[in-house]
Amino acid sequence: MNSAQQPSSSDTLHARAQREAHWLALWQKRSALTYALWPLSWLFQKIAGLRRWAYLRGWKAQYRMPVPVVVVGGIMIGGVGKTPMVAQLVKDLQRAGFQPAIITRGYGSEVDQERRVAAVLTDSLAAEVGDEPLLLQRNTGVPVWVGANRVDTARAVCAAHPECDVIVCDDGLQHYRLYRDLEIAVMDDRGVGNGWCLPAGPLREPPTRLNSVSALVYHRRLTLVDLAENEPMQDIGRVAALSWMPDPLTVPQFAVCSRLHNAYALAQVQRTIALQDWTPTWAEKSLGSNTLMLAGIAQPQVFFDMLANFGIHGERLALPDHAPFDAVLARRLSESLAQNHCAALLMTEKDAVKCLPWVHEFPELAEKIWVVPLRVNRDAGWQALSEHIVGRLKALNHAD
């Protein structure tokens, strides 16, 4: 096959994203294929259960840090919106008088592949430390450290930041070597899928695991209609009604919402456009209203649907979660913008941190990139969760 016939890296990534989306959809129900895979899921679940039991019984060592550890994770694969919650929780902890730090894996980064521990700095590259850690550092300003070994990473944080009095772990619910004082499990509209563990379902642990966490959070991404009508208590009632949930569900439950905020220019963050004004703004500039939308997250369609709710339509490019953004992709995006007569490229904030080097390397492309942040809605649902966690942490401090 000659070079003209070879698929580009973006085509390959797009195909991978489509495969991931196919499996996520497949795992929402029980079918002939998932039933065929169920024996492997049964084995997976038994091994996961024995592993957790070994830590709880003391047969395998857990390492307790000198400060409380709060794990924000889940049992579902495929992106449930944990990172925005970690960022907001850290800000609330600061307001409550704590000095938090964040640890996370930095999935797919150089640090992750080399199995080492590193601090995330303001000028770090996403390729070095990971997209989510860099986004957390830029959004919170607190110490953020990455490493696949959560115990080593937590120890490094405590050594480098003696002022830190609470560690928030982004993901890592199944990393039992690190003792945790509080566990927050996050789920979205998919609930627990078909209720089965991998590979017949989307779960890392069985649904019964949810009854052992400190708080279960139902996360919903808001539309324009929801912003006007949302009632957190209604969302809480939906949790137990989801298929294959534990019965009874005895864990404290909270409903948390997030929403898209105004888009800002990658190259000039002070330039913003309200999403409801996006299409008319470009039309008035006689640049056309067609937009290229890109999402390299676990559920790209969710991002596209949220934009469509604001009347934003155009070309869509779905990439896998944590997809690398390199020069080949940059050139392909420039070509796509030109071929489709798109005035701008809209992307998630998580993807945008991987494009920061393009401001200097591909300035013409960077000028067309607009970033859409996803933020937790600080409504009654979030306030209830925040107060619950802060109260539990203060009680731990008093107990010590």
Side-chain angles (χ1 to χ4, degrees):
M1 181 182 291
N2 60 43
S3 59
Q5 294 173 309
Q6 293 176 347
S8 69
S9 62
S10 61
D11 290 336
T12 303
L13 290 172
H14 182 61
R16 193 175 116 204
Q18 289 181 315
R19 288 194 300 271
E20 292 177 358
H22 170 75
W23 277 101
L24 288 177
L26 182 70
W27 284 330
Q28 282 301 111
K29 57 186 178 181
R30 298 183 176 183
S31 63
L33 177 56
T34 59
Y35 272 105
L37 293 171
W38 181 82
L40 294 176
S41 293
W42 180 87
L43 180 61
F44 183 100
Q45 178 175 327
K46 292 302 179 184
I47 293 173
L50 286 172
R51 178 175 172 272
R52 179 169 181 263
W53 184 251
Y55 280 108
L56 294 179
R57 296 286 292 181
W59 298 337
K60 299 189 74 171
Q62 279 190 308
Y63 295 87
R64 185 191 288 264
M65 294 300 113
V67 299
V69 173
V70 181
V71 173
V72 182
I75 64 172
M76 180 93 164
I77 70 169
V80 292
K82 297 181 295 293
T83 301
M85 293 189 198
V86 168
Q88 188 58 56
L89 177 61
V90 163
K91 294 174 184 177
D92 285 7
L93 289 175
Q94 287 179 304
R95 277 191 283 267
F98 291 93
Q99 298 189 63
I102 299 171
I103 64 170
T104 184
R105 177 176 174 176
Y107 183 85
S109 66
E110 293 175 8
V111 171
D112 181 35
Q113 294 171 1
E114 295 169 6
R115 309 296 291 183
R116 55 188 176 89
V117 172
V120 181
L121 307 176
T122 304
D123 59 352
S124 293
L125 298 177
E128 297 172 349
V129 299
D131 45 21
E132 290 172 348
L134 184 55
L135 179 59
L136 284 169
Q137 197 282 331
R138 293 172 67 88
N139 280 347
T140 67
V142 305
V144 178
W145 284 67
V146 293
N149 187 315
R150 305 302 168 94
V151 172
D152 289 348
T153 309
R155 286 172 171 167
V157 166
C158 292
H161 300 279
E163 76 283 0
C164 169
D165 54 11
V166 59
I167 294 174
V168 179
C169 182
D170 181 18
D171 211 354
L173 191 65
Q174 289 74 39
H175 289 258
Y176 292 113
R177 284 185 69 240
L178 177 63
Y179 179 87
R180 64 289 310 272
D181 298 270
L182 297 175
E183 293 180 326
I184 303 173
V186 184
M187 60 186 297
D188 60 14
D189 289 329
R190 295 171 298 160
V192 292
N194 61 14
W196 284 339
C197 290
L198 293 165
L203 303 182
R204 298 185 180 101
E205 296 182 279
T208 51
R209 172 71 170 90
L210 296 175
N211 269 333
S212 63
V213 300
S214 310
L216 175 61
V217 178
Y218 170 59
H219 173 222
R220 190 159 64 94
R221 300 161 181 91
L222 296 178
T223 65
L224 283 173
V225 174
D226 292 328
L227 288 172
E229 301 178 356
N230 181 61
E231 174 53 55
M233 292 306 297
Q234 294 177 2
D235 284 342
I236 292 177
R238 297 176 189 176
V239 177
L242 293 170
S243 298
W244 313 111
M245 290 292 290
D247 186 15
L249 191 59
T250 58
V251 64
Q253 301 162 48
F254 303 88
V256 172
C257 302
S258 62
R259 61 188 179 96
L260 298 180
H261 279 234
N262 294 345
Y264 63 86
L266 178 71
Q268 294 178 283
V269 295
Q270 70 275 15
R271 293 175 58 200
T272 62
I273 298 178
L275 292 181
Q276 58 266 34
D277 298 331
W278 178 265
T279 300
T281 295
W282 291 109
E284 288 173 6
K285 294 181 178 181
S286 301
L287 295 173
S289 59
N290 203 19
T291 299
L292 176 60
M293 295 169 282
L294 179 151
I297 56 178
Q299 298 186 80
Q301 191 61 43
V302 171
F303 178 66
F304 299 146
D305 290 345
M306 292 180 79
L307 290 178
N309 184 252
F310 286 93
I312 302 174
H313 305 280
E315 305 299 319
R316 299 178 175 184
L317 178 59
L319 300 178
D321 201 10
H322 308 292
F325 280 36
D326 54 18
V328 176
L329 178 60
R331 287 190 285 270
R332 180 60 188 272
L333 291 174
S334 296
E335 293 171 2
S336 296
L337 286 166
Q339 292 171 0
N340 294 292
H341 307 288
C342 294
L345 169 58
L346 269 180
M347 63 174 61
T348 72
E349 199 171 32
K350 177 177 168 180
D351 293 314
V353 296
K354 293 182 284 190
C355 300
L356 292 173
W358 293 358
V359 174
H360 302 291
E361 297 171 2
F362 302 96
E364 291 186 9
L365 172 60
E367 283 290 332
K368 295 183 178 181
I369 294 176
W370 288 76
V371 186
V372 187
L374 181 71
R375 298 283 186 266
V376 168
N377 210 38
R378 297 184 62 205
D379 55 16
W382 173 262
Q383 293 298 336
L385 172 64
S386 178
E387 291 170 6
H388 177 73
I389 298 303
V390 169
R392 292 285 299 272
L393 284 173
K394 288 183 176 179
L396 286 173
N397 288 341
H398 288 317
D400 293 340

